[in-house]
Amino acid sequence: MPYLTLRDGVEIYYKDWGNKNGPTVVFSHGWPLNSDNWENQMFFLANQGCRVIAHDRRGHGRSSQPWDGNDMNTYTDDLQQLFEYLNLKDVMLVGHSTGGGEVVRFLGRHGTSRAKKAVLVAAIPPVMVQSESNPEGTPLAVFDGFRAAMEKDRAQFFLDVPSGPFFGFNRPGAAVSQGLIQSWYQQGMMSGFKNAYECIKVFSETDMTEDLKKIDIPVLWLHGDDDQIVPIKDAALKGIRLLPKGTLKVYLGGPHALPNICVDKVNKDLWEFLNA
């Protein structure tokens, strides 16, 4: 399996599939998952002749579980090092949830010289947590509840989240997939406890308002209007106004887990945007 040893000795696992000479698409995953959560999109695009790359963020999946560096700047510096190692250029970046925040901070922090487009899927920017400047945000107590649940019984918490709001399986008439629940659980339990615990602060409190304003490449934002994890009103509807070249596409009735629940639709939108 391919690994990259980073500047601080952390080992990052990554996948590099498809045609090495094809259009390059780089994926960033959500919390507390890993690159496996993108397998439907990666398989589809690789079969269209693309080169598709996804890494397990530090502390997640098959990557190292360092005690330190669980912050958005370090995440994006790790991604930049992967870009340099693989000499990636003219990339379309795709990020889901926390991974969408990683894409936004990456482009705001490291610029767009290696990227030509970006897609944000149910992404966390501008900032999730409620504050005086963000009164519509999610109260801090909700995220404190996440941390308390992890400390009490992480395994049960990591079953409760996918069984309910993440995939929208708590909605009346939802077609519940035990396979998706177990896959989410498996990926989540592969993450380091401290890494996943500290990432709650990362995805809830990192303010990416200024990063969004800096992004000078076309950005497609996909968001479900029934997203119970990252409500559209405090994410996409705000963030799209900050992007110089942003386009918002709302999935009616769409949950947070668009890449898993709306597979064909997401694949189609990625393919069309890549070729636009």
Side-chain angles (χ1 to χ4, degrees):
M1 295 190 295
Y3 282 87
L4 169 64
T5 301
L6 301 173
R7 61 209 170 278
D8 60 355
V10 169
E11 289 188 314
I12 292 292
Y13 169 81
Y14 68 94
K15 301 175 182 181
D16 188 351
W17 297 354
N19 178 10
K20 297 298 187 291
N21 297 314
T24 304
V25 184
V26 174
F27 293 87
S28 289
H29 64 80
W31 173 93
L33 307 174
N34 59 56
S35 58
D36 291 351
N37 202 52
W38 283 116
E39 61 187 10
N40 286 317
Q41 286 69 43
M42 294 181 69
F43 182 72
F44 170 78
L45 290 175
N47 278 317
Q48 309 307 311
C50 295
R51 180 184 187 183
V52 292
I53 297 164
H55 70 297
D56 292 357
R57 189 175 299 117
R58 66 167 55 213
H60 296 72
R62 289 139 292 208
S63 295
S64 301
Q65 298 181 4
W67 193 250
D68 301 310
N70 304 303
D71 61 86
M72 193 64 83
N73 284 348
T74 303
Y75 295 163
T76 59
D77 291 349
D78 294 348
L79 184 57
Q80 173 69 6
Q81 193 165 346
L82 181 63
F83 266 63
E84 293 170 350
Y85 175 72
L86 296 175
N87 193 28
L88 303 179
K89 300 175 182 178
D90 297 322
V91 168
M92 184 171 87
L93 285 150
V94 184
H96 174 244
S97 196
T98 301
E102 183 176 86
V103 167
V104 168
R105 176 54 56 89
F106 175 84
L107 295 172
R109 182 173 173 84
H110 293 286
T112 57
S113 62
R114 292 178 177 268
K116 64 178 183 179
K117 294 178 180 178
V119 183
L120 307 177
V121 185
I124 60 173
V127 61
M128 288 189 69
V129 74
Q130 186 181 68
S131 64
E132 288 186 10
S133 60
N134 187 39
E136 303 88 0
T138 302
L140 180 62
V142 173
F143 304 112
D144 287 340
F146 290 175
R147 284 180 277 263
M150 276 196 66
E151 291 185 76
K152 180 181 179 181
D153 188 345
R154 174 165 80 136
Q156 186 60 51
F157 180 51
F158 280 9
L159 279 175
D160 292 342
V161 174
S163 297
F166 193 89
F167 295 107
F169 291 158
N170 56 340
R171 295 306 196 203
V176 177
S177 166
Q178 291 299 323
L180 283 177
I181 293 171
Q182 292 299 322
S183 176
W184 199 101
Y185 173 81
Q186 179 186 44
Q187 291 179 58
M189 293 303 292
M190 288 174 69
S191 65
F193 189 99
K194 185 172 187 283
N195 309 104
Y197 184 92
E198 292 190 345
C199 191
I200 295 171
K201 181 180 178 68
V202 176
F203 73 66
S204 62
E205 298 184 37
T206 305
D207 191 337
M208 288 159 281
T209 299
E210 297 305 315
D211 299 291
L212 288 166
K213 295 176 182 177
K214 294 177 184 177
I215 299 174
D216 58 0
I217 57 175
V219 177
L220 175 63
W221 200 317
L222 308 178
H223 215 111
D225 65 358
D226 192 31
D227 190 326
Q228 301 173 69
I229 304 296
V230 183
I232 190 172
K233 64 180 177 58
D234 196 47
L237 297 185
K238 286 186 175 181
I240 197 65
R241 297 197 298 265
L242 300 171
L243 286 166
K245 299 180 181 179
T247 301
L248 174 62
K249 184 167 186 178
V250 178
Y251 282 36
L252 298 179
H256 186 61
L258 296 181
N260 313 104
I261 299 298
C262 306
V263 174
D264 292 342
K265 193 171 182 180
V266 171
N267 289 352
K268 180 175 181 290
D269 285 339
L270 292 179
W271 178 244
E272 291 181 352
F273 187 63
L274 178 65
N275 290 286

